[in-house]
Amino acid sequence: MDLQNRVTVITGATGGLGRVAAQTFAKRGARLALAATNEERLQALARELALPDERLLLYAANLQAETPMREFARAVSEKFGRAEILLQFIGGWTGGKTIAEFEARELTAMLAQHVWATWYLLQAFVPQLVANQWGRVLIVSSPSAQQPRAKSAPYAAAKAAQENLILTLAQELKGLGVTANILQVQTIDAQHERDAAPAPKNANWTTPEEIVAALLYLCSDAAHIVNGARLPLFGGG
């Protein structure tokens, strides 16, 4: 698939999935706006990509707040003129305790990572996509959003809210040339444990490369009809 000059915004770009996505999209001709909290890791990723300056923007900040996200969107617009693809990979996991045992700050942290970061991303960037009359918004979520497991309340609640932001956005974007979709995975297998040491616990894990393959399809013109979907990338075990 050709992504020649498509301006692709990747948040959480230095994580296991973000790094593979950046490498793959770069090889297919995209211009990249990469955001993460750690400047050194961003610079290391930039060295790996070895892209000319006109195809790369780095932005180090905590994007769980409105001001840095809007400043990031402004920087993308100033450098590239627009954004076209949003890949939202900010997020983490907390669990292992019952609702009664969790502290409120743990729920707050999950909401910041999954909900507020997504909220601010959409508010800052979606108007650019609508102005283009072409765009793709994609997040990676979990089946926990719909079928939460015990001792995972903060994460499950945050993922459910994040998914509903995307599904609501998809309805708002109908007919505007922009789509918003969700990929669901149980665990991102950045170390490829599923293939190196197969076991029942990792049988349903998904590698970054498998996720990126789905992202490429959803970013293609062939996927213009796919909007407001939850695509399960698990269940093969």
PDB file of all heavy atoms in Angstrom, residues 93 140-144 147 149 155 183-189 200-206 233-235:
ATOM      1  N   TRP A  93      -1.525   0.031  31.502  1.00  0.00           N
ATOM      2  CA  TRP A  93      -2.450  -0.896  32.169  1.00  0.00           C
ATOM      3  C   TRP A  93      -2.171  -0.885  33.658  1.00  0.00           C
ATOM      4  O   TRP A  93      -1.004  -0.794  34.094  1.00  0.00           O
ATOM      5  CB  TRP A  93      -2.259  -2.312  31.634  1.00  0.00           C
ATOM      6  CG  TRP A  93      -3.180  -3.338  32.251  1.00  0.00           C
ATOM      7  CD1 TRP A  93      -4.453  -3.624  31.875  1.00  0.00           C
ATOM      8  CD2 TRP A  93      -2.891  -4.197  33.362  1.00  0.00           C
ATOM      9  NE1 TRP A  93      -4.987  -4.616  32.663  1.00  0.00           N
ATOM     10  CE2 TRP A  93      -4.045  -4.989  33.598  1.00  0.00           C
ATOM     11  CE3 TRP A  93      -1.777  -4.384  34.181  1.00  0.00           C
ATOM     12  CZ2 TRP A  93      -4.125  -5.944  34.612  1.00  0.00           C
ATOM     13  CZ3 TRP A  93      -1.850  -5.323  35.195  1.00  0.00           C
ATOM     14  CH2 TRP A  93      -3.009  -6.105  35.400  1.00  0.00           C
ATOM     15  N   VAL A 140      -5.863   1.538  19.422  1.00  0.00           N
ATOM     16  CA  VAL A 140      -5.763   0.124  19.788  1.00  0.00           C
ATOM     17  C   VAL A 140      -6.386  -0.025  21.169  1.00  0.00           C
ATOM     18  O   VAL A 140      -5.990   0.657  22.119  1.00  0.00           O
ATOM     19  CB  VAL A 140      -4.303  -0.359  19.783  1.00  0.00           C
ATOM     20  CG1 VAL A 140      -4.213  -1.790  20.291  1.00  0.00           C
ATOM     21  CG2 VAL A 140      -3.718  -0.260  18.385  1.00  0.00           C
ATOM     22  N   SER A 141      -7.363  -0.909  21.275  1.00  0.00           N
ATOM     23  CA  SER A 141      -8.087  -1.110  22.517  1.00  0.00           C
ATOM     24  C   SER A 141      -8.024  -2.583  22.914  1.00  0.00           C
ATOM     25  O   SER A 141      -7.147  -3.322  22.463  1.00  0.00           O
ATOM     26  CB  SER A 141      -9.529  -0.625  22.366  1.00  0.00           C
ATOM     27  OG  SER A 141     -10.216  -0.684  23.597  1.00  0.00           O
ATOM     28  N   SER A 142      -8.961  -2.980  23.748  1.00  0.00           N
ATOM     29  CA  SER A 142      -8.941  -4.309  24.348  1.00  0.00           C
ATOM     30  C   SER A 142     -10.351  -4.857  24.460  1.00  0.00           C
ATOM     31  O   SER A 142     -11.312  -4.086  24.629  1.00  0.00           O
ATOM     32  CB  SER A 142      -8.318  -4.209  25.749  1.00  0.00           C
ATOM     33  OG  SER A 142      -8.591  -5.367  26.513  1.00  0.00           O
ATOM     34  N   PRO A 143     -10.510  -6.183  24.396  1.00  0.00           N
ATOM     35  CA  PRO A 143     -11.835  -6.754  24.649  1.00  0.00           C
ATOM     36  C   PRO A 143     -12.339  -6.450  26.050  1.00  0.00           C
ATOM     37  O   PRO A 143     -13.530  -6.583  26.323  1.00  0.00           O
ATOM     38  CB  PRO A 143     -11.625  -8.262  24.424  1.00  0.00           C
ATOM     39  CG  PRO A 143     -10.151  -8.475  24.497  1.00  0.00           C
ATOM     40  CD  PRO A 143      -9.525  -7.219  24.022  1.00  0.00           C
ATOM     41  N   SER A 144     -11.430  -6.011  26.936  1.00  0.00           N
ATOM     42  CA  SER A 144     -11.856  -5.635  28.289  1.00  0.00           C
ATOM     43  C   SER A 144     -12.838  -4.476  28.281  1.00  0.00           C
ATOM     44  O   SER A 144     -13.576  -4.280  29.249  1.00  0.00           O
ATOM     45  CB  SER A 144     -10.637  -5.250  29.140  1.00  0.00           C
ATOM     46  OG  SER A 144      -9.794  -6.356  29.344  1.00  0.00           O
ATOM     47  N   GLN A 147     -15.961  -6.700  27.703  1.00  0.00           N
ATOM     48  CA  GLN A 147     -16.062  -7.847  28.600  1.00  0.00           C
ATOM     49  C   GLN A 147     -14.967  -7.758  29.660  1.00  0.00           C
ATOM     50  O   GLN A 147     -13.965  -8.473  29.598  1.00  0.00           O
ATOM     51  CB  GLN A 147     -15.942  -9.145  27.802  1.00  0.00           C
ATOM     52  CG  GLN A 147     -17.070  -9.340  26.799  1.00  0.00           C
ATOM     53  CD  GLN A 147     -16.909 -10.612  25.991  1.00  0.00           C
ATOM     54  OE1 GLN A 147     -15.817 -10.948  25.522  1.00  0.00           O
ATOM     55  NE2 GLN A 147     -18.001 -11.345  25.833  1.00  0.00           N
ATOM     56  N   ARG A 149     -12.589  -8.087  32.829  1.00  0.00           N
ATOM     57  CA  ARG A 149     -12.233  -9.163  33.744  1.00  0.00           C
ATOM     58  C   ARG A 149     -12.197  -8.640  35.173  1.00  0.00           C
ATOM     59  O   ARG A 149     -12.078  -7.437  35.409  1.00  0.00           O
ATOM     60  CB  ARG A 149     -10.857  -9.723  33.367  1.00  0.00           C
ATOM     61  CG  ARG A 149     -10.802 -10.351  31.979  1.00  0.00           C
ATOM     62  CD  ARG A 149      -9.402 -10.851  31.679  1.00  0.00           C
ATOM     63  NE  ARG A 149      -9.319 -11.475  30.360  1.00  0.00           N
ATOM     64  CZ  ARG A 149      -8.210 -11.995  29.855  1.00  0.00           C
ATOM     65  NH1 ARG A 149      -7.077 -11.965  30.562  1.00  0.00           N
ATOM     66  NH2 ARG A 149      -8.210 -12.547  28.648  1.00  0.00           N
ATOM     67  N   TYR A 155      -8.673   0.141  34.240  1.00  0.00           N
ATOM     68  CA  TYR A 155      -8.308  -0.038  32.834  1.00  0.00           C
ATOM     69  C   TYR A 155      -9.555  -0.287  31.987  1.00  0.00           C
ATOM     70  O   TYR A 155      -9.725   0.337  30.927  1.00  0.00           O
ATOM     71  CB  TYR A 155      -7.342  -1.208  32.702  1.00  0.00           C
ATOM     72  CG  TYR A 155      -6.972  -1.546  31.276  1.00  0.00           C
ATOM     73  CD1 TYR A 155      -6.077  -0.753  30.560  1.00  0.00           C
ATOM     74  CD2 TYR A 155      -7.517  -2.665  30.639  1.00  0.00           C
ATOM     75  CE1 TYR A 155      -5.737  -1.054  29.243  1.00  0.00           C
ATOM     76  CE2 TYR A 155      -7.180  -2.979  29.324  1.00  0.00           C
ATOM     77  CZ  TYR A 155      -6.290  -2.167  28.637  1.00  0.00           C
ATOM     78  OH  TYR A 155      -5.971  -2.468  27.340  1.00  0.00           O
ATOM     79  N   LEU A 183      -9.031  -1.121  16.827  1.00  0.00           N
ATOM     80  CA  LEU A 183      -8.461  -2.462  16.783  1.00  0.00           C
ATOM     81  C   LEU A 183      -8.377  -2.986  18.214  1.00  0.00           C
ATOM     82  O   LEU A 183      -7.840  -2.312  19.094  1.00  0.00           O
ATOM     83  CB  LEU A 183      -7.061  -2.446  16.161  1.00  0.00           C
ATOM     84  CG  LEU A 183      -6.964  -1.935  14.724  1.00  0.00           C
ATOM     85  CD1 LEU A 183      -5.519  -1.963  14.257  1.00  0.00           C
ATOM     86  CD2 LEU A 183      -7.823  -2.767  13.800  1.00  0.00           C
ATOM     87  N   GLN A 184      -8.899  -4.170  18.440  1.00  0.00           N
ATOM     88  CA  GLN A 184      -8.873  -4.754  19.778  1.00  0.00           C
ATOM     89  C   GLN A 184      -7.851  -5.888  19.843  1.00  0.00           C
ATOM     90  O   GLN A 184      -7.858  -6.784  18.993  1.00  0.00           O
ATOM     91  CB  GLN A 184     -10.245  -5.288  20.167  1.00  0.00           C
ATOM     92  CG  GLN A 184     -11.277  -4.206  20.454  1.00  0.00           C
ATOM     93  CD  GLN A 184     -12.554  -4.794  21.024  1.00  0.00           C
ATOM     94  OE1 GLN A 184     -12.887  -5.952  20.810  1.00  0.00           O
ATOM     95  NE2 GLN A 184     -13.286  -3.992  21.762  1.00  0.00           N
ATOM     96  N   VAL A 185      -6.985  -5.831  20.837  1.00  0.00           N
ATOM     97  CA  VAL A 185      -6.028  -6.909  21.095  1.00  0.00           C
ATOM     98  C   VAL A 185      -6.043  -7.221  22.583  1.00  0.00           C
ATOM     99  O   VAL A 185      -6.354  -6.354  23.400  1.00  0.00           O
ATOM    100  CB  VAL A 185      -4.600  -6.534  20.645  1.00  0.00           C
ATOM    101  CG1 VAL A 185      -4.565  -6.166  19.180  1.00  0.00           C
ATOM    102  CG2 VAL A 185      -4.044  -5.385  21.481  1.00  0.00           C
ATOM    103  N   GLN A 186      -5.697  -8.446  22.912  1.00  0.00           N
ATOM    104  CA  GLN A 186      -5.607  -8.800  24.331  1.00  0.00           C
ATOM    105  C   GLN A 186      -4.284  -8.336  24.932  1.00  0.00           C
ATOM    106  O   GLN A 186      -4.242  -7.740  25.995  1.00  0.00           O
ATOM    107  CB  GLN A 186      -5.790 -10.309  24.511  1.00  0.00           C
ATOM    108  CG  GLN A 186      -7.211 -10.765  24.284  1.00  0.00           C
ATOM    109  CD  GLN A 186      -7.438 -12.204  24.710  1.00  0.00           C
ATOM    110  OE1 GLN A 186      -6.512 -12.968  24.896  1.00  0.00           O
ATOM    111  NE2 GLN A 186      -8.702 -12.567  24.852  1.00  0.00           N
ATOM    112  N   THR A 187      -3.195  -8.636  24.235  1.00  0.00           N
ATOM    113  CA  THR A 187      -1.857  -8.216  24.663  1.00  0.00           C
ATOM    114  C   THR A 187      -1.028  -7.941  23.421  1.00  0.00           C
ATOM    115  O   THR A 187      -1.055  -8.729  22.470  1.00  0.00           O
ATOM    116  CB  THR A 187      -1.169  -9.308  25.498  1.00  0.00           C
ATOM    117  OG1 THR A 187      -1.940  -9.560  26.677  1.00  0.00           O
ATOM    118  CG2 THR A 187       0.246  -8.895  25.904  1.00  0.00           C
ATOM    119  N   ILE A 188      -0.291  -6.835  23.429  1.00  0.00           N
ATOM    120  CA  ILE A 188       0.639  -6.554  22.332  1.00  0.00           C
ATOM    121  C   ILE A 188       1.929  -7.310  22.604  1.00  0.00           C
ATOM    122  O   ILE A 188       2.632  -7.052  23.584  1.00  0.00           O
ATOM    123  CB  ILE A 188       0.913  -5.050  22.203  1.00  0.00           C
ATOM    124  CG1 ILE A 188      -0.391  -4.299  21.888  1.00  0.00           C
ATOM    125  CG2 ILE A 188       1.953  -4.789  21.108  1.00  0.00           C
ATOM    126  CD1 ILE A 188      -0.239  -2.794  21.855  1.00  0.00           C
ATOM    127  N   ASP A 189       2.238  -8.245  21.746  1.00  0.00           N
ATOM    128  CA  ASP A 189       3.375  -9.152  21.931  1.00  0.00           C
ATOM    129  C   ASP A 189       4.631  -8.546  21.302  1.00  0.00           C
ATOM    130  O   ASP A 189       5.134  -9.028  20.287  1.00  0.00           O
ATOM    131  CB  ASP A 189       3.036 -10.511  21.313  1.00  0.00           C
ATOM    132  CG  ASP A 189       4.094 -11.569  21.590  1.00  0.00           C
ATOM    133  OD1 ASP A 189       4.985 -11.332  22.431  1.00  0.00           O
ATOM    134  OD2 ASP A 189       4.026 -12.635  20.953  1.00  0.00           O
ATOM    135  N   PRO A 200      -0.378 -21.579  26.386  1.00  0.00           N
ATOM    136  CA  PRO A 200      -1.788 -21.154  26.433  1.00  0.00           C
ATOM    137  C   PRO A 200      -1.960 -19.687  26.796  1.00  0.00           C
ATOM    138  O   PRO A 200      -2.864 -19.024  26.278  1.00  0.00           O
ATOM    139  CB  PRO A 200      -2.380 -22.067  27.518  1.00  0.00           C
ATOM    140  CG  PRO A 200      -1.536 -23.298  27.463  1.00  0.00           C
ATOM    141  CD  PRO A 200      -0.147 -22.812  27.170  1.00  0.00           C
ATOM    142  N   LYS A 201      -1.087 -19.151  27.642  1.00  0.00           N
ATOM    143  CA  LYS A 201      -1.269 -17.768  28.095  1.00  0.00           C
ATOM    144  C   LYS A 201      -1.035 -16.751  26.973  1.00  0.00           C
ATOM    145  O   LYS A 201      -1.580 -15.642  27.024  1.00  0.00           O
ATOM    146  CB  LYS A 201      -0.335 -17.451  29.267  1.00  0.00           C
ATOM    147  CG  LYS A 201       1.115 -17.292  28.885  1.00  0.00           C
ATOM    148  CD  LYS A 201       1.933 -16.701  30.027  1.00  0.00           C
ATOM    149  CE  LYS A 201       3.364 -16.389  29.561  1.00  0.00           C
ATOM    150  NZ  LYS A 201       4.153 -15.729  30.612  1.00  0.00           N
ATOM    151  N   ASN A 202      -0.203 -17.108  25.983  1.00  0.00           N
ATOM    152  CA  ASN A 202       0.091 -16.132  24.930  1.00  0.00           C
ATOM    153  C   ASN A 202      -0.504 -16.489  23.572  1.00  0.00           C
ATOM    154  O   ASN A 202      -0.205 -15.835  22.567  1.00  0.00           O
ATOM    155  CB  ASN A 202       1.604 -15.913  24.801  1.00  0.00           C
ATOM    156  CG  ASN A 202       2.370 -17.179  24.448  1.00  0.00           C
ATOM    157  OD1 ASN A 202       1.872 -18.048  23.738  1.00  0.00           O
ATOM    158  ND2 ASN A 202       3.601 -17.292  24.954  1.00  0.00           N
ATOM    159  N   ALA A 203      -1.364 -17.488  23.545  1.00  0.00           N
ATOM    160  CA  ALA A 203      -1.909 -17.957  22.265  1.00  0.00           C
ATOM    161  C   ALA A 203      -2.716 -16.872  21.543  1.00  0.00           C
ATOM    162  O   ALA A 203      -2.776 -16.859  20.316  1.00  0.00           O
ATOM    163  CB  ALA A 203      -2.781 -19.186  22.492  1.00  0.00           C
ATOM    164  N   ASN A 204      -3.326 -15.959  22.290  1.00  0.00           N
ATOM    165  CA  ASN A 204      -4.147 -14.902  21.688  1.00  0.00           C
ATOM    166  C   ASN A 204      -3.441 -13.554  21.629  1.00  0.00           C
ATOM    167  O   ASN A 204      -4.080 -12.542  21.326  1.00  0.00           O
ATOM    168  CB  ASN A 204      -5.457 -14.754  22.472  1.00  0.00           C
ATOM    169  CG  ASN A 204      -6.437 -15.871  22.152  1.00  0.00           C
ATOM    170  OD1 ASN A 204      -6.543 -16.289  21.010  1.00  0.00           O
ATOM    171  ND2 ASN A 204      -7.142 -16.353  23.152  1.00  0.00           N
ATOM    172  N   TRP A 205      -2.163 -13.511  21.938  1.00  0.00           N
ATOM    173  CA  TRP A 205      -1.427 -12.263  21.863  1.00  0.00           C
ATOM    174  C   TRP A 205      -1.229 -11.864  20.401  1.00  0.00           C
ATOM    175  O   TRP A 205      -1.246 -12.711  19.497  1.00  0.00           O
ATOM    176  CB  TRP A 205      -0.084 -12.387  22.564  1.00  0.00           C
ATOM    177  CG  TRP A 205      -0.185 -12.570  24.055  1.00  0.00           C
ATOM    178  CD1 TRP A 205      -1.315 -12.743  24.785  1.00  0.00           C
ATOM    179  CD2 TRP A 205       0.905 -12.608  24.977  1.00  0.00           C
ATOM    180  NE1 TRP A 205      -1.006 -12.891  26.117  1.00  0.00           N
ATOM    181  CE2 TRP A 205       0.342 -12.810  26.263  1.00  0.00           C
ATOM    182  CE3 TRP A 205       2.284 -12.493  24.853  1.00  0.00           C
ATOM    183  CZ2 TRP A 205       1.143 -12.901  27.410  1.00  0.00           C
ATOM    184  CZ3 TRP A 205       3.081 -12.587  25.986  1.00  0.00           C
ATOM    185  CH2 TRP A 205       2.503 -12.777  27.253  1.00  0.00           C
ATOM    186  N   THR A 206      -1.016 -10.592  20.172  1.00  0.00           N
ATOM    187  CA  THR A 206      -0.913 -10.055  18.816  1.00  0.00           C
ATOM    188  C   THR A 206       0.392  -9.285  18.666  1.00  0.00           C
ATOM    189  O   THR A 206       0.698  -8.418  19.488  1.00  0.00           O
ATOM    190  CB  THR A 206      -2.101  -9.113  18.527  1.00  0.00           C
ATOM    191  OG1 THR A 206      -3.317  -9.760  18.907  1.00  0.00           O
ATOM    192  CG2 THR A 206      -2.161  -8.756  17.056  1.00  0.00           C
ATOM    193  N   LEU A 233      -8.422  -8.469  16.823  1.00  0.00           N
ATOM    194  CA  LEU A 233      -7.165  -9.091  16.374  1.00  0.00           C
ATOM    195  C   LEU A 233      -6.689 -10.077  17.434  1.00  0.00           C
ATOM    196  O   LEU A 233      -5.576  -9.993  17.946  1.00  0.00           O
ATOM    197  CB  LEU A 233      -6.106  -8.017  16.112  1.00  0.00           C
ATOM    198  CG  LEU A 233      -6.432  -6.955  15.067  1.00  0.00           C
ATOM    199  CD1 LEU A 233      -5.244  -6.037  14.847  1.00  0.00           C
ATOM    200  CD2 LEU A 233      -6.837  -7.603  13.737  1.00  0.00           C
ATOM    201  N   PHE A 234      -7.554 -10.993  17.767  1.00  0.00           N
ATOM    202  CA  PHE A 234      -7.239 -12.034  18.738  1.00  0.00           C
ATOM    203  C   PHE A 234      -8.208 -13.175  18.495  1.00  0.00           C
ATOM    204  O   PHE A 234      -9.126 -13.062  17.684  1.00  0.00           O
ATOM    205  CB  PHE A 234      -7.367 -11.525  20.180  1.00  0.00           C
ATOM    206  CG  PHE A 234      -8.759 -11.034  20.533  1.00  0.00           C
ATOM    207  CD1 PHE A 234      -9.674 -11.891  21.104  1.00  0.00           C
ATOM    208  CD2 PHE A 234      -9.139  -9.724  20.266  1.00  0.00           C
ATOM    209  CE1 PHE A 234     -10.960 -11.458  21.410  1.00  0.00           C
ATOM    210  CE2 PHE A 234     -10.421  -9.281  20.565  1.00  0.00           C
ATOM    211  CZ  PHE A 234     -11.334 -10.154  21.135  1.00  0.00           C
ATOM    212  N   GLY A 235      -7.977 -14.272  19.168  1.00  0.00           N
ATOM    213  CA  GLY A 235      -8.894 -15.400  19.016  1.00  0.00           C
ATOM    214  C   GLY A 235      -8.328 -16.550  18.218  1.00  0.00           C
ATOM    215  O   GLY A 235      -9.026 -17.533  17.946  1.00  0.00           O
TER     216      GLY A 235
END
